[in-house]
Amino acid sequence: MPEQPRARTAEGVVEGRWRGGHAVFRGIPYARPPVGELRFAAPAPPRRWEGTRQAADFGPAAPQSVPTRTPAAGGVNSEGGNSTEKAENAENADWLTLNVRTPDPGTAGLPVLVWIPGGAYMTAASDDPMYDSSALAGAGLVVVSLNYRVGAEGFALLDGAPPNRGFLDQIAALHWVRRNIASFGGDPDRVTVAGQSAGAGSVAALLTMEPARGLFRRAIAHSVPGAHCTPALAEQVATALADRLGTVPTAAALSGVDPWRLADAVAALGAELPGRRDTWGRLAQAGMAMCPVVDGQVLPETPWSALSGGRASGTELLVGHTRDEFRLFSVMTGRLGTFTDEDARTALELFAPAPDGPGAYRAACPGATPEELLETVHSDALFRMPSQQLAEANDAAGGTSFLFELRLASPALGGALGACHSLDVPLAFGTLDSPTGRQLFGDEPPAEAVTVSRELQRAWVRFATTGDPGWAAYRPDQRLTRVLDADARTLPYPEEASRRIWEGRPPAPFDLL
């Protein structure tokens, strides 16, 4: 039996495991555990160790602020139990770890893909079987996945703490990759950072953050959320959270609150959001207890304004969205088929771009039912237009953008999910046999799902390797977009009516009403 794989990092030697013909290393610290005085601090450099550190098991995820795991938030842990249970039973808060799968740790110069898990900035767990990177490593990529602080630990705006700590964690992980990935066969100059949903929002932020400059060469962003808060709104959210716990919104005060109790309080605050719609507006309507804040410091402005305003340089960007982004949430909440005229009017008033957005949507969708109007404006505002406009802004900043729309529908629930949010993730990773993959595609996935999965995997590998996913770049004059379906083709952007409504109106931070 061959010896287990080893690699020497700047902090010490790690020993992984051979899995499926690849060397797999799990739970490697890229920063110190955020405990004690580091609880709400920027990530501190990891400590060195003597001897060989075992890297066989995933590190615990940061506390997750949802009561159950869903296709949008993640799946079941591959080693039994969910990640929250693992973290609760851990003896420490060693949440800031990453994992590496490499086809050959003894080689050099392989392209690297760094995966940032998503989950509404409330969850993120790199151990989800949906993120199994066997297929991508088999195609020649070194794949890194990471855990980072989410919920209040990562994104609550607190006095005495840097804002957007979750983003700072991601930057610390990218520094680790820069220092160490050559020891795993990877090329530190060919790093692609990738994510979906909140992971894609993280990628968009990293594109424009000064501390992230030079840490990656390319970016992949699926279903970019248009979700940021103003400081005024973020302060109110933090105050409401602290009030639930009988304390004040400072790092010093909340450091004394058990992390899982704090996560539960965030989840409870999220359940109260419908009652706060009159003051918290779009944040409450979107169902997010908290999200990144445009703080003027860590995140000086939104990615769209930074790129289009020439304050950030463009890059090679593969970005896209699904056709029916919001359908997943309609189904998850049990609201599918129940939306009323009042629901549609509220959605249009809150999310359609002012001043003429509501009327423009009604004119563009004649004969649409209230539910169709609501789903269209929510899909546009929350994911589709932020993704399309990121492609345009990156192009304006001198980068090269490649845009796609996933139109393949899930066969689950009699087709009710459509081409919903998160459907693209098991397709891109080739994990149709994972628990979430089976939920979305069945135990025997349709042939067209296998075909689309193979194309997305090839696109990721080609893009990470060469900067070209295999279709024409998106340019404002033609707006060519890869439409992924049983019969994939490259066409002008398929959501043209929505694009026209949003033209020149990039996503603005959520604010108080």
Side-chain angles (χ1 to χ4, degrees):
M1 186 173 181
E3 292 185 358
Q4 298 294 357
R6 292 188 177 189
R8 180 174 296 278
T9 74
E11 290 74 42
V13 176
V14 290
E15 181 175 278
R17 296 293 183 270
W18 292 107
R19 301 178 189 271
H22 304 145
V24 178
F25 302 82
R26 294 172 172 169
I28 304 173
Y30 64 82
R32 294 181 202 172
V35 297
E37 63 182 14
L38 298 179
R39 172 78 179 276
F40 294 106
R47 292 190 175 93
R48 295 181 57 84
W49 59 84
E50 299 297 327
T52 300
R53 181 186 179 104
Q54 292 300 306
D57 299 317
F58 289 109
Q64 315 276 286
S65 292
V66 290
T68 58
R69 305 297 293 279
T70 69
V76 178
N77 185 283
S78 59
E79 298 178 26
N82 63 40
S83 293
T84 302
E85 291 168 349
K86 282 187 69 181
E88 288 176 356
N89 294 328
E91 294 181 356
N92 57 50
D94 201 2
W95 308 324
L96 305 185
T97 64
L98 51 73
N99 321 292
V100 182
R101 180 184 286 266
T102 174
D104 185 357
T107 191
L110 295 176
V112 180
L113 185 136
V114 178
W115 178 251
I116 301 175
Y121 302 106
M122 297 292 103
T123 70
S126 63
D127 61 6
D128 192 320
M130 183 168 58
Y131 305 147
D132 186 294
S133 55
S134 300
L136 297 174
L141 299 185
V142 177
V143 183
V144 179
S145 60
L146 59 111
N147 289 335
Y148 59 98
R149 285 174 286 183
V150 292
E153 301 291 337
F155 292 99
L157 187 62
L158 307 175
D159 286 343
N164 296 311
R165 295 170 296 281
F167 290 161
L168 297 179
D169 293 345
Q170 295 163 15
I171 291 171
L174 288 170
H175 276 290
W176 184 96
V177 170
R178 185 76 182 169
R179 290 194 308 273
N180 294 304
I181 206 62
S183 297
F184 299 83
D187 183 347
D189 292 320
R190 278 206 296 172
V191 173
T192 298
V193 63
Q196 182 264 350
S197 196
S202 300
V203 169
L206 292 170
L207 287 175
T208 64
M209 295 171 66
E210 182 67 29
R213 186 162 297 173
L215 297 179
F216 58 93
R217 181 172 177 178
R218 302 181 176 112
I220 298 174
H222 287 213
S223 300
V224 182
H228 298 86
C229 276
T230 64
L233 176 55
E235 287 171 2
Q236 277 211 9
V237 172
T239 297
L241 177 64
D243 286 346
R244 292 190 64 86
L245 296 163
T247 187
V248 292
T250 68
L254 289 178
S255 290
V257 177
D258 178 84
W260 291 275
R261 183 179 173 221
L262 181 59
D264 288 343
V266 173
L269 184 62
E272 296 176 353
L273 288 175
R276 296 180 180 269
R277 192 175 294 147
D278 290 344
T279 53
W280 291 3
R282 289 180 294 151
L283 180 77
Q285 181 74 5
M288 303 179 71
M290 61 183 61
C291 61
V293 58
V294 179
D295 59 89
Q297 177 187 348
V298 173
L299 188 67
E301 57 185 318
T302 69
W304 303 274
S305 65
L307 286 165
S308 61
R311 290 175 292 280
S313 299
T315 188
E316 293 169 326
L317 173 67
L318 172 59
V319 60
H321 57 71
T322 71
R323 180 189 59 194
D324 308 308
E325 288 279 3
F326 193 70
R327 185 70 56 79
L328 176 69
F329 308 102
S330 298
V331 172
M332 283 171 49
T333 58
R335 293 296 313 276
L336 186 68
T338 72
F339 290 109
T340 65
D341 284 325
E342 182 179 352
D343 292 327
R345 185 165 51 253
T346 298
L348 289 167
E349 289 174 353
L350 286 174
F351 285 112
D356 55 348
Y361 268 103
R362 293 189 184 278
C365 306
T369 66
E371 181 155 300
E372 289 167 343
L373 272 173
L374 180 143
E375 286 203 345
T376 298
V377 71
H378 273 109
S379 292
D380 283 347
L382 297 176
F383 300 107
R384 296 198 308 190
M385 295 304 102
S387 301
Q388 183 270 335
Q389 291 193 348
L390 190 67
E392 289 208 343
N394 181 64
D395 178 82
T400 303
S401 300
F402 299 89
L403 185 63
F404 74 86
E405 177 179 88
L406 177 66
R407 287 205 157 196
L408 178 76
S410 166
L413 304 177
L417 285 170
C420 67
H421 189 71
S422 295
L423 191 68
D424 47 322
V425 179
L427 292 169
F429 276 91
T431 51
L432 302 182
D433 59 347
S434 66
T436 300
R438 289 193 180 100
Q439 284 180 335
L440 294 170
F441 295 103
D443 292 336
E444 295 291 335
E448 55 267 27
V450 175
T451 299
V452 171
S453 178
R454 287 172 178 164
E455 175 165 357
L456 255 184
Q457 288 175 65
R458 285 196 302 268
W460 273 27
V461 172
R462 283 189 55 164
F463 181 76
T465 304
T466 69
D468 180 356
W471 62 80
Y474 179 94
R475 302 294 185 195
D477 55 343
Q478 293 181 304
R479 304 188 181 92
L480 293 178
T481 305
R482 189 66 172 171
V483 176
L484 298 172
D485 206 340
D487 180 23
R489 54 214 182 277
T490 303
L491 304 169
Y493 184 58
E495 310 302 337
E496 178 63 12
S498 295
R499 188 200 67 79
R500 287 181 179 274
I501 292 171
W502 285 84
E503 188 170 18
R505 297 162 170 172
F510 297 159
D511 202 354
L512 294 165
L513 290 182

